[in-house]
Amino acid sequence: MVLSHILCQISAYAMVAGWATGLKLGSQPKGIVYAGHRNIGITLFWLATVQIIALFLRPKKDHKFRFYWNIYHHGIGYAIVILGIVNVFEGLDILDPEKKWKSTCIIILTVLACVSVLLEAITWTR
């Protein structure tokens, strides 16, 4: 389970296509700035970077600071998920697609949220 968590995080971080696309698109139209969407994206990138760096600083399971590291790790992880969802909807508002695309996004996020809650419940009850 831990290995799958690590692989998911690393693969998500490795897919910087959204970040690169945002940088490219953000530099093109002079005078058009979506500050909220841009700032959330930058924050997400740096929080994800801090999470990756923190993997190398994780204390052993029996270390006295491991409890605090877990709080930090989960807190940053939840913040990334929440900001990511907010940023998706910020981007949808900017693009103003047909309603079906926003509805599809909501359905996908709802399914992912249900799976995540189930997996969190399993993890915390162990």
Side-chain angles (χ1 to χ4, degrees):
M1 181 121 175
V2 172
L3 181 60
S4 63
H5 178 77
I6 291 170
L7 290 175
C8 285
Q9 285 185 329
I10 290 173
S11 66
Y13 188 78
M15 290 188 270
V16 294
W19 173 256
T21 303
L23 289 176
K24 178 67 175 159
L25 291 176
S27 66
Q28 287 180 345
K30 303 298 181 208
I32 300 174
V33 177
Y34 300 104
H37 185 65
R38 181 190 65 206
N39 292 339
I40 293 172
I42 291 168
T43 302
L44 281 167
F45 181 76
W46 288 109
L47 285 173
T49 301
V50 168
Q51 279 287 69
I52 295 294
I53 291 169
L55 289 175
F56 300 109
L57 303 174
R58 181 176 61 179
K60 295 192 186 303
K61 286 189 183 240
D62 58 345
H63 195 277
K64 65 181 179 177
F65 291 127
R66 180 63 181 251
F67 174 76
Y68 301 108
W69 186 91
N70 282 339
I71 292 172
Y72 148 80
H73 182 67
H74 285 99
I76 297 291
Y78 292 136
I80 289 171
V81 169
I82 292 167
L83 283 173
I85 292 168
V86 168
N87 213 29
V88 165
F89 286 102
E90 285 281 324
L92 286 173
D93 286 342
I94 291 168
L95 293 174
D96 195 28
E98 294 178 31
K99 186 175 178 173
K100 68 180 180 181
W101 292 109
K102 197 168 190 176
S103 299
T104 302
C105 189
I106 291 170
I107 291 168
I108 291 169
L109 287 173
T110 302
V111 169
L112 288 173
C114 290
V115 169
S116 295
V117 167
L118 177 67
L119 292 174
E120 277 295 315
I122 291 169
T123 301
W124 286 100
T125 57
R126 282 203 206 166

